[in-house]
Amino acid sequence: MATGTPAPDTIDIGIDADIATLTFNRPDKRNAINDALVDALDEFFSNPPKGINAVILTGSGGHFCAGLDLAEHEQRDPIDNVFHSRNWHAVMDRIEFSGLPVVSVLRGAVIGGGLEIATATHVRIADPTVRFQLPEGRRGIFVGGGATVRVGNIIGADRMREMMLTGRSYGADEGIALGLSHYSVSAEEALPLAHKLARKIADNAPFSNYLMIQALPRINNMSQGDGLFTESLAAAMSQTTDGAKEGLRAFLEKREPKFR
Ligand code: 1HE
């Protein structure tokens, strides 16, 4: 695997053919997110290297991410706090909507902002060490990186409120049942599964992937009538692409499709 410029204290970027692996690299701080790390995520997803078709996001040292760096968190006045939160929102949106499918490998702490990042990714694989938690109540703060929407959409406002009020943590089995993760596998299987799924997704028709990533969450926010109309437009656009021709031909010829 070719490795990009190591970014100590932020993110390591490894590139293997058309798959990039981003690894949070602050193991001594359980990969807590400081401004430099938010900037590093922003930089990658704003301008991904050419030729990348899928991303794997994980953390070093046995943890995904322990959330906001509480030591580097400055006292800000209210308006600067709003700007700080809005910047997190912009970066989380970039992860979800850059157009690149993102597979996350969740282990150890997936806490606070770590869960906000995880829920901006499209495929989530957890190992038995995982601990999903929103401890903001115990820290005297509130979520600010998109959890009300992304975690709320997955587990519902009611369960999210209980999670925040009591500071409880959920493990791998509960994470699967709740939809916080899509796969629960052993620690040894997690990264290989991420590569396998990233490969599979990268080999899909690019425009199909694009529509799944862009259209589904937006349609989910629409009224039924608007959503169904938008679905028809997306279906019509996808069905007139070369990808659709190849996908259908490959099925009829009993072979794997070759989209890229
Ligand atoms: C940190 C952070 C952090 C660890 N900011 N430094 N997030 C939290 O409230 C989670 C806080 N962290 C923890 O609950 C625990 O550290 C863990 C369960 C993740 C790991 O426990 P453990 O026993 O393996 O490690 P540790 O000894 O607690 O921590 C190791 C070091 O990492 C230690 O630093 P050291 O200098 O004393 O060695 C910790 O201080 C440091 N560390 N987590 C700063 N989060 C956009 S709004 C989002 C709002 C939030 O994310 S709120 C949730 C914040």
Side-chain angles (χ1 to χ4, degrees), residues 21 32 37 120 124 144 163 177 180 205 219 235 253 260:
T21 301
L37 215 147
R124 298 181 292 280
M163 197 178 173
L180 292 172
I219 289 174
E253 292 170 5
R260 296 184 197 264

Side-chain angles (χ1 to χ4, degrees), residues 28-30 32 63 66-71 84 88 109 111-114 116 131 133 135-136 139 141-145:
D28 294 347
K29 298 292 172 192
R30 308 300 183 253
H63 293 274
L68 182 68
D69 188 313
L70 299 169
H84 183 258
W88 270 65
I111 296 182
E116 293 180 308
R131 175 174 168 180
Q133 201 182 4
E136 281 80 354
R139 312 283 178 250
I141 57 177
F142 191 66
V143 291

Side-chain angles (χ1 to χ4, degrees), residues 12 52 57 75 150 188:
D12 276 350
I52 294 300
L57 185 58
Q75 281 300 325
R150 291 197 176 88
E188 299 70 44

Side-chain angles (χ1 to χ4, degrees), residues 16-69:
D16 185 7
D18 60 346
I19 297 175
T21 301
L22 273 54
T23 308
F24 296 133
N25 189 23
R26 301 188 76 207
D28 294 347
K29 298 292 172 192
R30 308 300 183 253
N31 302 318
I33 304 276
N34 57 9
D35 288 346
L37 215 147
V38 174
D39 289 349
L41 277 173
D42 191 12
E43 198 179 312
F44 180 88
F45 284 100
S46 298
N47 193 14
K50 291 265 167 306
I52 294 300
N53 291 322
V55 176
I56 295 170
L57 185 58
T58 186
S60 59
H63 293 274
F64 180 69
C65 171
L68 182 68
D69 188 313

